[in-house]
Amino acid sequence: TRNRAESLRETLEHLAAQQTQEQFTYEVVVVDNGSTDRTRRLVTERRVDFPVPLRYVYEPQVGRPAALNAGIRVAQGTMVAITDDDVLVSPGWLSAFWSCFQQEQADAVAGKVTPLWPAARPAWLTGEVQGYLNQMGIGCGDRGGSRLRSWQGQHCQGVGGNMAIRREAIGRIGLFDVRLVRGQDAEYYDRCVRSRLRVVYEPSAAAAHKISTERLS
């Protein structure tokens, strides 16, 4: 997160409401990527009554790869799920990842991300245009309602706001490339495939990405 304290507040509420069916436990790690707003104070205040461990990490090197790597380094789980400060995850988000990891013996899982418009969807934004905007960083990814598997030749790349990976898989392929300003998610997926990791697209691991108004002109 970077200078989006109020948006982060809403994201944390959704992370606090995860339904685990007592199958697993989880923690939440907030990586503050050089914020100058009240992000640190928000996390400190929210930690008091948060239902699971809530941790704060400050990463001064600005850039998504550096922030992701900082969070991965301190996370204690055997699986690491990633989302952003402008993403709202569904109540069954982590459970969907958990089930997919178990059922498919997956190394990494990508979820579905649909857009959450600030008002009505612009008339000019057709499906074709939205697909282009997804490639340019609008942060959404919907590959349909069926599970896909990389080892069956199906394309399973997700977006950085909704993905999960086993820690042992990270140990095999390494962290995110801090030299990249854009395209780090695609590069990481390519690395997974080249290393013959089992990547799954799981539509039930659902999230919504809040589309800011400045992206709609």
Side-chain angles (χ1 to χ4, degrees):
T1 185
R2 178 175 168 82
N3 290 331
R4 286 179 177 168
E6 290 310 309
S7 182
L8 173 64
R9 181 191 301 277
E10 192 174 14
T11 296
L12 289 176
E13 293 303 321
H14 284 248
L15 291 173
Q18 290 300 292
Q19 300 169 356
T20 67
Q21 287 77 46
E22 299 184 350
Q23 293 181 305
F24 57 89
T25 59
Y26 70 100
E27 64 174 352
V28 173
V29 179
V30 176
V31 182
D32 182 346
N33 197 199
S35 295
T36 56
D37 64 357
R38 62 185 306 273
T39 292
R40 182 193 293 266
R41 185 189 308 172
L42 167 66
V43 178
T44 300
E45 293 172 351
R46 194 64 184 86
R47 184 184 292 145
V48 176
D49 60 353
F50 209 71
V52 298
L54 176 60
R55 305 169 65 192
Y56 173 91
V57 177
Y58 185 81
E59 173 51 58
Q61 181 179 346
V62 176
R64 196 166 184 281
L68 291 176
N69 293 344
I72 289 170
R73 289 189 182 101
V74 304
Q76 298 179 1
T78 58
M79 302 168 190
V80 180
I82 297 170
T83 192
D84 291 333
D85 59 11
D86 57 357
V87 172
L88 304 179
V89 298
S90 60
W93 183 61
L94 287 179
S95 289
F97 279 140
W98 174 266
S99 297
C100 188
F101 275 120
Q102 310 306 316
Q103 295 167 4
E104 299 287 347
Q105 295 299 298
D107 297 301
V109 182
K112 176 190 290 188
V113 182
T114 53
L116 187 61
W117 308 108
R121 173 176 171 148
W124 58 265
L125 210 161
T126 62
E128 182 179 1
V129 174
Q130 184 176 324
Y132 174 74
L133 291 180
N134 287 344
Q135 298 176 33
M136 297 301 291
I138 202 171
C140 296
D142 183 350
R143 299 192 180 279
S146 300
R147 189 178 283 181
L148 304 177
R149 302 165 179 85
S150 65
W151 61 94
Q152 294 179 352
Q154 297 166 322
H155 191 60
C156 300
Q157 180 187 324
V159 295
N162 190 4
M163 60 180 290
I165 186 168
R166 291 185 188 270
R167 177 164 297 282
E168 60 185 18
I170 297 173
R172 289 172 57 185
I173 67 173
L175 297 169
F176 285 83
D177 191 339
V178 297
R179 299 170 299 178
L180 297 178
V181 177
R182 291 186 180 275
Q184 59 268 13
D185 301 331
E187 189 275 336
Y188 206 70
Y189 173 74
D190 289 344
R191 222 187 306 164
C192 287
V193 173
R194 289 198 307 270
S195 299
R196 299 186 181 280
L197 297 186
R198 294 169 65 92
V199 185
V200 178
Y201 164 75
E202 176 51 69
S204 64
H209 181 213
K210 292 182 281 189
I211 308 300
S212 58
T213 54
E214 60 265 23
R215 292 188 175 190
L216 299 179
S217 63

